[in-house]
């Protein structure tokens, strides 16, 4: 039950923009957007999805999907493939390839993503790569420059592979703000997951600020902004228009 929020964000079409970035304020979790987008992509016949689990493992997304009305296991290793470093590290411990050399983790991830695309997604009508959450790479030893280079490489993937979309998410605390802003500049749509100015409210968890660049001639672009209030319930995500519920956003 996520159609309304995807429609409001402009992410409900069969063909998505080439690069979408989700920015989270501190103490905000936008993983529900990853779950919503994943469910929508899996419902498209012969469309592929590659989920890179950095913040939550696959089991989290399986459970979230079941609450939203889809079973990811039905699509697993068919139109859905997973890169799950968290589970690999828990299973293999210090022997995990993801812990062998912290300076190489972004290179390992990029190689794994490319191998998945070329092995499993070349015959799909479209492919969506969803990465949650880039800031975890910094916790695992990657530098900000390495994370930025990874994203620049990913932003070029839609030029190499037809009908491919990259969707990234990053926690935007103070130390990550510059990287987060630079990654967002690579994309066509940026979705900011923000707190309410009025604090916590029973009917609303937070707000989304959707920023989209529209071509406005050869030398400039026109940027549009849209604010959406949201509430993540157990089995659906409810949205409100600003001012509809009488709170400060």
């Amino acid at each position: 039950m996520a159609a309304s929020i995807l429609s409001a964000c402009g992410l409900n079409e069969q063909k998505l923009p080439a690069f979408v970035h989700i920015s989270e304020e501190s103490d905000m979790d936008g993983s529900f957007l990853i779950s919503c987008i994943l469910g929508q992509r899996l419902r498209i016949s012969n469309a592929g999805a590659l989920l890179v689990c950095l913040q939550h493992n696959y089991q989290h997304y399986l459970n979230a999907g079941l609450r939203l009305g889809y079973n990811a296991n039905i699509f697993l290793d068919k139109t859905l493939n997973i890169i799950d470093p968290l589970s690999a590290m828990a299973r293999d411990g210090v022997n995990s390839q993801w812990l062998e050399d912290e300076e190489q983790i972004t290179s390992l991830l990029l190689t794994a993503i490319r191998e998945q695309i070329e092995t499993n997604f070349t015959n799909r009508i479209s492919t969506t790569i969803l990465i949650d959450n880039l800031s975890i790479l910094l916790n695992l030893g990657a530098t900000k420059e390495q994370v930025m280079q990874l994203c620049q490489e990913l932003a070029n993937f839609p030029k190499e592979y037809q009908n491919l979309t990259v969707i990234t998410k990053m926690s935007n605390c103070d130390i990550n703000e510059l990287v987060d802003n630079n990654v967002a500049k690579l994309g066509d749509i940026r979705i900011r997951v923000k707190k309410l100015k009025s604090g916590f409210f029973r009917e609303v968890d937070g707000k989304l600020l959707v920023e989209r660049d529209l071509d406005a001639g050869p030398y400039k672009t026109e940027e549009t902004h849209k604010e959406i209030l949201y509430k993540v319930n157990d089995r659906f995500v409810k949205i409100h228009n600003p001012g509809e519920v009488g709170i400060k956003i």
Side-chain angles (χ1 to χ4, degrees):
M1 300 291 289
S4 60
I5 194 162
L6 292 180
S7 178
C9 293
L11 299 176
N12 61 328
E13 301 295 333
Q14 181 166 317
K15 181 175 175 58
L16 295 180
F19 195 105
V20 178
H21 183 61
I22 301 168
S23 300
E24 299 170 331
E25 278 193 347
S26 297
D27 299 325
M28 300 298 289
D29 188 355
S31 295
F32 70 93
L33 288 170
I34 299 291
S35 297
C36 292
I37 296 168
L38 178 62
Q40 190 259 3
R41 305 317 291 171
L42 293 178
R43 290 185 174 96
I44 300 174
S45 179
N46 200 35
L50 175 60
L51 177 63
V52 181
C53 303
L54 294 176
Q55 180 174 356
H56 303 293
N57 62 17
Y58 171 66
Q59 187 64 41
H60 167 89
Y61 288 102
L62 174 62
N63 294 337
L66 291 172
R67 290 194 297 271
L68 288 171
Y70 69 91
N71 185 348
N73 275 345
I74 295 173
F75 307 92
L76 189 60
D77 296 325
K78 297 171 185 174
T79 58
L80 170 64
N81 288 82
I82 306 295
I83 298 174
D84 193 346
L86 286 181
S87 295
M89 285 186 281
R91 181 184 64 245
D92 302 330
V94 294
N95 295 319
S96 171
Q97 65 167 334
W98 303 102
L99 296 176
E100 289 178 359
D101 186 348
E102 63 184 20
E103 295 183 359
Q104 296 298 319
I105 189 166
T106 55
S107 296
L108 285 171
L109 183 57
L110 185 65
T111 298
I113 292 171
R114 188 180 290 277
E115 287 176 351
Q116 285 279 357
I117 294 171
E118 295 180 352
T119 302
N120 299 308
F121 298 106
T122 54
N123 296 321
R124 301 298 177 194
I125 61 170
S126 66
T127 300
T128 305
I129 303 170
L130 302 109
I131 303 178
D132 180 23
N133 171 335
L134 292 171
S135 60
I136 301 301
L137 295 171
L138 298 170
N139 298 338
L140 293 174
T143 66
K144 295 177 181 179
E145 291 77 12
Q146 288 170 329
V147 172
M148 194 65 226
Q149 180 63 37
L150 169 68
C151 293
Q152 289 172 337
E153 295 278 357
L154 291 170
N156 287 326
F157 272 23
K159 301 173 185 177
E160 296 182 49
Y161 306 101
Q162 286 189 332
N163 300 318
L164 185 142
T165 294
V166 177
I167 298 176
T168 57
K169 182 170 77 67
M170 187 171 194
S171 296
N172 184 6
C173 61
D174 291 341
I175 59 174
N176 297 337
E177 187 172 3
L178 180 59
V179 179
D180 183 66
N181 288 335
N182 286 335
V183 173
K185 292 176 182 177
L186 298 171
D188 307 284
I189 295 178
R190 182 183 194 177
I191 303 174
R192 299 178 187 262
V193 186
K194 301 175 69 70
K195 301 173 186 175
L196 301 171
K197 292 180 181 178
S198 55
F200 294 104
F201 185 65
R202 181 169 55 87
E203 297 296 330
V204 178
D205 289 333
K207 68 175 178 178
L208 304 179
L209 177 59
V210 182
E211 302 169 345
R212 179 191 291 263
D213 287 336
L214 301 175
D215 289 335
Y219 304 111
K220 62 179 180 178
T221 60
E222 175 189 352
E223 189 174 83
T224 65
H225 299 265
K226 182 177 184 180
E227 290 186 338
I228 306 159
L229 305 181
Y230 71 90
K231 172 69 176 178
V232 180
N233 293 293
D234 194 39
R235 295 188 178 277
F236 63 95
V237 181
K238 187 175 182 180
I239 64 171
H240 300 278
N241 294 319
E244 182 179 330
V245 290
I247 60 172
K248 294 181 180 179
I249 61 172

